[in-house]
Amino acid sequence: MRHRLKDVAERAGVSVKTVSNVVNGYQHVRADTRARVEEAIAALNYRPNLSARNLRKGRTGVIALAVPELDIPYFAELARHVVTAAADHDWTVLIHQTGGGSEQERKAASGIGDHMIDGLILSPLALTSDDLAALHGLPVVLLGERVDNGPADHIMIDNVAAAREITAHLIGLGRRRIAAIGSQRTPEGASARLRLAGYTAALAGAGIAYDDRLVAPAPAWHRADGAAAMRHLLATGVRPDAVFCFNDTLALGALRALHEAGLRVPEDVAVAGFDDIEDGRFSIPTLTTVAPDKERIARLAVELLAGRLGPDRDSPPRELVTPHHLALRESAPL
Amino acid sequence: MRHRLKDVAERAGVSVKTVSNVVNGYQHVRADTRARVEEAIAALNYRPNLSARNLRKGRTGVIALAVPELDIPYFAELARHVVTAAADHDWTVLIHQTGGGSEQERKAASGIGDHMIDGLILSPLALTSDDLAALHGLPVVLLGERVDNGPADHIMIDNVAAAREITAHLIGLGRRRIAAIGSQRTPEGASARLRLAGYTAALAGAGIAYDDRLVAPAPAWHRADGAAAMRHLLATGVRPDAVFCFNDTLALGALRALHEAGLRVPEDVAVAGFDDIEDGRFSIPTLTTVAPDKERIARLAVELLAGRLGPDRDSPPRELVTPHHLALRESAPL
DNA sequence: ACGGAGAGTTACAACGTTGCAGAAATACAC
DNA sequence: GTGTATTTCTGCAACGTTGTAACTCTCCGT
């Protein structure tokens, strides 16, 4: 049922290698030979065995993208862009879901990496440089926060600046009791720490005192966590007049909780998020947010990986900061 | 840097095959030999070369999941469940994005399938049975609408019944001018046709005349399409008092358009969707919808595939209808 | 006619792994 | 103590492909 080079060769009356040459587009094949071979390929519906080709070549044509959770819209959108960018290099993308645990991420790094993939684009939450070292030379591009001393290429946005800017925007609206939702103390919470730093920097810049009670932690960054954190803030009676949520799903949850509490957005409480996911453009109200250039991040990641697999094999690790902008919508308008 | 069985064998002072036996958990290996080999494996950080193993075994341990678009929440949620279910079989899931075009789906089927994957879970929009035949024996499980005469296992929900039930629910609220959003005339629109059939059946059952002007097409089923369709309905002056959207993202777009038009949901217009995506539980208002059991669909798909790779290799194709229920929320409450 | 260049084709080995058959060592039965 | 299982380990071949090197054949210039 499934045919091999040998079958094609027999049918076309040539050697196995000649068929291989035709399949790989080698130049010096006589036109009539090529035609005979192609006829045989078509007749037998021959497809190369990629495992064998990979074994021989040491390349698989597959790269992996490992993200914490696929059904967080930010990662789903990112995944779409990575798949698109990878297609330009004729790569297939193996999308892997780590669950954000260090165990799973380690497995994504070492386990999957084994020999099935040529490179890895990893959006780590919990990974340490030790885990990374265990890759033993598999080219890796990291997205998001820095892994300390990691010897890998790295793409990020300036989280502190972005958080500072959007907090400053809320201050510019005249708000003074600005809450933050999404803080995390765990080692995984690198993004949370940076965004919190931007938040406090903006407050300090405007001469507003930092109030611990206005900062709500969130174990994960899902809608439910955002809603719970918002409810908690409202219940403690610290009446914020604005909220900066560390990502958009938190913000959507917060919108929901505010709605249930009968508060108007943005009149009573302005809300800002982070990530610019599709939902935020259709939510009620639409969501003001920090918009990273996801398409560019994905493209850069694929290109860095391509470099590592090609000429830049041994060049020093690169660190790229991609631009972002504020998307000002109804929840905290201009 | 990257070691092979041979390197481990030399270090442990045994044959290559013995190392292979240890790696594969073969029983009859003396304890001290096993220990020596394991020490060597650890010391060299040996990892099997999967390409070689696959070549030898004819199995790859990778299954593919092909969906039209990853950033449609329904598919992202489904993907998460499939990844989880596949992990129980020690399978890695290669997630593939087809874009919904028949060309891409064909490629997902034939191109990717070549020898890299053991099986395919495909959520087709445009695939015909011819495309399916081109797979030449690759086990496939189809999700969603029927591919005519396809010789593959198939999991679906009863779209007609589900659409009829939720439309009947709207009728039960006393609504009489019930619009539908999402109809499609293209060959890809199988789901749309079935849901439309359920909608018309419910109207007929209640003695309500079908009004063509209340049925709005949507080229795709994104939020933007839902919003555009809703705006169109409102602009034509046919004042619906309820809308059944053929999926949740359409419904979220419709909610947005209704909000912009100053109409209250559900007081002025009740809204229902289809899919029960996470967003719908936090939107304002929360979304009444048809809830398929995505976790079960994913688990069944993986199990059917496991069967095809094992004992049920040649059993006749199975067709499974999974249950659904109505999730009644604020946009069209009980 | 002869040498040389290049086009066209081929045989062979290797990529790293595992199934098979069997050798060597050990245990067991009588 | 001999014969028979059983455990433990090994060498070889094969999975399907491609790189290397070599071979044949044609064509050209002299």
Side-chain angles (χ1 to χ4, degrees), chain A residues 252-268:
Chain A
L252 292 170
L255 284 182
R256 177 74 209 162
L258 288 166
H259 172 77
E260 288 172 1
L263 292 166
R264 292 165 305 158
V265 177
E267 293 83 352
D268 300 322

Side-chain angles (χ1 to χ4, degrees), chain A residues 45 48-51 54-55 70-71 80 93 95 97 115-116 136 223 256 278-279 282-283 330, chain B residues 45 48-51 54-55 70-71 80 93 95 97 115-116 136 223 256 259 278-279 282-283 330:
Chain A
N45 192 252
N49 179 320
L50 297 185
S51 285
N54 299 341
L55 172 60
L70 259 181
D71 52 353
R80 195 197 56 196
V93 179
I95 298 175
Q97 185 174 248
H115 291 265
M116 288 290 287
H136 273 121
R223 292 176 181 82
R256 177 74 209 162
E278 171 87 359
D279 317 31
F282 289 87
S283 59
E330 294 167 0
Chain B
N45 192 251
N49 180 322
L50 296 186
S51 285
N54 299 341
L55 172 59
L70 258 181
D71 52 354
R80 195 197 55 194
V93 179
I95 298 174
Q97 185 174 246
H115 290 266
M116 288 289 286
H136 271 120
R223 292 176 182 83
R256 177 75 210 162
H259 172 78
E278 170 87 1
D279 317 34
F282 289 88
S283 59
E330 295 167 359

Side-chain angles (χ1 to χ4, degrees), chain B residues 170-206:
Chain B
L170 295 173
I171 295 170
L173 296 177
R175 313 294 165 130
R176 286 300 176 270
R177 303 197 48 74
I178 302 172
I181 290 181
S183 77
Q184 296 179 326
R185 300 234 181 116
T186 57
E188 291 85 18
S191 298
R193 273 194 301 284
L194 295 174
R195 292 177 193 178
L196 184 61
Y199 162 83
T200 55
L203 293 186

Side-chain angles (χ1 to χ4, degrees), chain B residues 202-220:
Chain B
L203 293 186
I208 301 176
Y210 172 88
D211 183 345
D212 202 32
R213 294 168 306 161
L214 283 169
V215 175

Side-chain angles (χ1 to χ4, degrees), chain A residues 4-326:
Chain A
R4 303 156 299 159
L5 279 184
K6 194 177 164 208
D7 304 314
V8 178
E10 276 167 13
R11 190 177 217 273
V14 296
S15 77
V16 168
K17 190 66 227 277
T18 296
V19 180
S20 169
N21 287 337
V22 169
V23 170
N24 291 282
Y26 181 67
Q27 288 219 330
H28 301 302
V29 179
R30 239 175 35 226
D32 63 323
T33 311
R34 181 185 300 277
R36 267 209 330 283
V37 171
E38 277 167 352
E39 183 278 330
I41 287 177
L44 298 178
N45 192 252
Y46 166 77
R47 307 274 168 178
N49 179 320
L50 297 185
S51 285
R53 178 179 283 176
N54 299 341
L55 172 60
R56 186 59 238 238
K57 295 227 212 193
R59 284 279 184 93
T60 67
V62 177
I63 64 171
L65 169 69
V67 295
E69 287 185 65
L70 259 181
D71 52 353
I72 290 184
Y74 175 75
F75 292 116
E77 295 180 12
L78 189 65
R80 195 197 56 196
H81 291 301
V82 168
V83 169
T84 306
D88 294 340
H89 293 262
D90 286 324
W91 284 336
T92 300
V93 179
L94 184 122
I95 298 175
H96 202 256
Q97 185 174 248
T98 62
S102 61
E103 185 51 42
Q104 282 290 323
E105 287 184 357
R106 198 180 346 265
K107 194 175 166 194
S110 72
I112 300 298
D114 283 349
H115 291 265
M116 288 290 287
I117 62 176
D118 294 339
L120 174 64
I121 298 175
L122 177 60
S123 183
L125 291 184
L127 214 64
T128 70
S129 54
D130 279 351
D131 298 325
L132 223 48
L135 293 182
H136 273 121
L138 180 78
V140 177
V141 175
L142 295 174
L143 307 181
E145 299 339 307
R146 139 178 252 103
V147 173
D148 43 316
N149 305 321
D153 289 327
H154 196 205
I155 299 173
M156 55 181 139
I157 67 166
D158 187 340
N159 267 291
V160 177
R164 185 161 27 75
E165 288 162 23
I166 199 153
T167 308
H169 169 68
L170 295 173
I171 295 171
L173 295 178
R175 311 295 164 128
R176 287 298 175 271
R177 303 195 49 72
I178 301 172
I181 290 181
S183 77
Q184 296 180 325
R185 298 233 182 118
T186 56
E188 292 85 19
S191 298
R193 274 195 299 284
L194 294 174
R195 291 177 194 178
L196 184 63
Y199 162 81
T200 55
L203 292 185
I208 301 177
Y210 172 88
D211 183 345
D212 202 33
R213 294 169 305 162
L214 284 168
V215 176
W221 282 2
H222 295 180
R223 292 176 181 82
D225 302 290
M230 191 72 237
R231 281 188 209 108
H232 175 75
L233 282 174
L234 294 175
T236 57
V238 289
R239 285 290 150 190
D241 54 13
V243 195
F244 167 38
C245 300
F246 290 176
N247 85 347
D248 278 357
T249 40
L250 284 172
L252 292 170
L255 284 182
R256 177 74 209 162
L258 288 166
H259 172 77
E260 288 172 1
L263 292 166
R264 292 165 305 158
V265 177
E267 293 83 352
D268 300 322
V269 182
V271 175
F274 202 116
D275 282 349
D276 189 28
I277 64 176
E278 171 87 359
D279 317 31
R281 297 178 201 186
F282 289 87
S283 59
I284 299 171
T286 53
L287 193 61
T288 286
T289 191
V290 173
D293 190 342
K294 290 186 277 277
E295 194 271 337
R296 178 180 201 159
I297 291 172
R299 195 161 29 81
L300 281 174
V302 170
E303 276 164 19
L304 281 182
L305 208 47
R308 287 278 160 213
L309 292 172
D312 310 338
R313 190 177 318 280
D314 300 309
S315 57
R318 298 220 284 158
E319 200 159 273
L320 269 51
V321 177
T322 58
H324 60 269
H325 69 274
L326 301 190

Side-chain angles (χ1 to χ4, degrees), chain B residues 14-271:
Chain B
V14 296
S15 78
V16 167
K17 190 64 228 282
T18 298
V19 180
S20 170
N21 286 337
V22 170
V23 170
N24 290 283
Y26 181 66
Q27 288 218 330
H28 301 303
V29 179
R30 238 174 36 224
D32 64 322
T33 311
R34 181 185 301 277
R36 269 211 325 286
V37 170
E38 277 168 352
E39 183 279 330
I41 288 176
L44 298 178
N45 192 251
Y46 165 78
R47 308 275 168 176
N49 180 322
L50 296 186
S51 285
R53 179 179 284 175
N54 299 341
L55 172 59
R56 188 57 239 243
K57 300 237 241 191
R59 284 280 182 92
T60 67
V62 177
I63 64 171
L65 169 69
V67 296
E69 287 185 65
L70 258 181
D71 52 354
I72 290 182
Y74 175 75
F75 293 116
E77 293 180 12
L78 189 65
R80 195 197 55 194
H81 291 300
V82 169
V83 168
T84 305
D88 294 341
H89 293 261
D90 286 324
W91 285 335
T92 301
V93 179
L94 186 123
I95 298 174
H96 202 254
Q97 185 174 246
T98 61
S102 61
E103 186 51 43
Q104 283 289 324
E105 285 185 357
R106 198 181 343 265
K107 196 175 165 193
S110 73
I112 300 298
D114 282 349
H115 290 266
M116 288 289 286
I117 62 175
D118 294 340
L120 174 64
I121 298 175
L122 177 60
S123 184
L125 291 184
L127 212 63
T128 70
S129 54
D130 279 351
D131 298 325
L132 224 47
L135 293 183
H136 271 120
L138 180 77
V140 177
V141 175
L142 295 174
L143 306 181
E145 298 340 306
R146 143 178 246 104
V147 172
D148 44 315
N149 304 322
D153 288 327
H154 195 203
I155 299 173
M156 55 180 138
I157 68 168
D158 188 340
N159 268 291
V160 177
R164 185 162 26 76
E165 288 162 25
I166 199 153
T167 307
H169 169 68
L170 295 173
I171 295 170
L173 296 177
R175 313 294 165 130
R176 286 300 176 270
R177 303 197 48 74
I178 302 172
I181 290 181
S183 77
Q184 296 179 326
R185 300 234 181 116
T186 57
E188 291 85 18
S191 298
R193 273 194 301 284
L194 295 174
R195 292 177 193 178
L196 184 61
Y199 162 83
T200 55
L203 293 186
I208 301 176
Y210 172 88
D211 183 345
D212 202 32
R213 294 168 306 161
L214 283 169
V215 175
W221 281 3
H222 294 183
R223 292 176 182 83
D225 301 292
M230 191 72 238
R231 282 189 208 105
H232 175 75
L233 282 174
L234 294 176
T236 57
V238 288
R239 284 291 150 189
D241 54 13
V243 194
F244 167 39
C245 301
F246 290 176
N247 85 348
D248 279 355
T249 40
L250 284 173
L252 292 170
L255 283 183
R256 177 75 210 162
L258 288 166
H259 172 78
E260 288 171 1
L263 291 167
R264 291 166 306 157
V265 177
E267 293 83 353
D268 299 323
V269 182
V271 175

